Amino acid sequence: MTQTIDTVSREVTVDVDPDTAFRIFTADMTSWWPADHHIGSAPIEQIVVEPEEGGRWYTRHTDGSETSTGFVTVWDPPARFVVTWQIGADWKFDPDLVTSVEVQFHPVDGGRTRVVLEHRDLDAYGADAEAMRKTFEDPGAWSATLAAFANGTAR
């Protein structure tokens, strides 16, 4: 029997145009990403999303180590980008696990942007899929991340 786990979808509207929202989300992720949302053994020094298909999404930590999150699969500024999320249920990078996170930037009235985030392919977690869906649905997960992003655009 094939298991189908629902996509986790969250959105937020920010008071900047799509170009600015896309730039802050991708090129300035370090400034707004929740400091406790990482898998390293040391605090975050820099989060990097390399701006091209095939580019890496990784975190450099204050102890000089790096942890990978995934890779860019779609780069279409300022409309959207898609990255893989390859962090396992054990909160370690797993090169054989591939889930996808798509972030879309939709213009709305008044120069604002509706940012829609979808974390898909959660079936890849196998027996842990439902538990991981619940983890990502938790208010402290993607909702908190988008709230931090919204605060980051208000600076």
Side-chain angles (χ1 to χ4, degrees):
M1 183 166 112
T2 302
Q3 182 180 22
T4 301
I5 301 297
D6 290 341
T7 294
V8 174
S9 183
R10 296 287 182 266
E11 66 180 65
V12 66
T13 299
V14 295
D15 292 334
V16 296
D17 63 74
D19 287 318
T20 302
F22 188 94
R23 181 186 50 76
I24 291 171
F25 202 107
T26 58
D28 200 17
M29 192 176 280
T30 309
S31 72
W32 60 266
W33 188 266
D36 59 342
H37 285 201
H38 68 88
I39 60 170
S41 58
I44 295 170
E45 179 177 294
Q46 183 180 22
I47 302 172
V48 177
V49 179
E50 296 176 338
E52 61 188 350
E53 291 180 10
R56 294 175 58 210
W57 177 22
Y58 66 97
T59 301
R60 186 173 301 120
H61 300 274
T62 56
D63 65 357
S65 65
E66 289 184 358
T67 53
S68 293
T69 303
F71 296 88
V72 177
T73 59
V74 175
W75 189 257
D76 185 21
R80 70 185 187 118
F81 71 95
V82 181
V83 289
T84 61
W85 175 278
Q86 297 178 252
I87 308 233
D90 60 356
W91 298 103
K92 295 179 181 173
F93 181 78
D94 179 348
D96 297 322
L97 171 73
V98 179
T99 66
S100 298
V101 176
E102 179 171 4
V103 184
Q104 301 173 21
F105 301 83
H106 301 278
V108 294
D109 292 342
R112 302 169 68 210
T113 304
R114 183 170 56 95
V115 179
V116 179
L117 182 149
E118 292 185 349
H119 193 158
R120 300 188 288 248
D121 308 319
L122 300 177
D123 290 327
Y125 282 105
D128 294 320
E130 182 59 26
M132 291 306 289
R133 185 195 61 76
K134 289 179 180 174
T135 296
F136 295 125
E137 289 269 351
D138 185 272
W142 286 123
S143 293
T145 302
L146 285 183
F149 167 68
N151 287 336
T153 64
R155 294 182 190 143

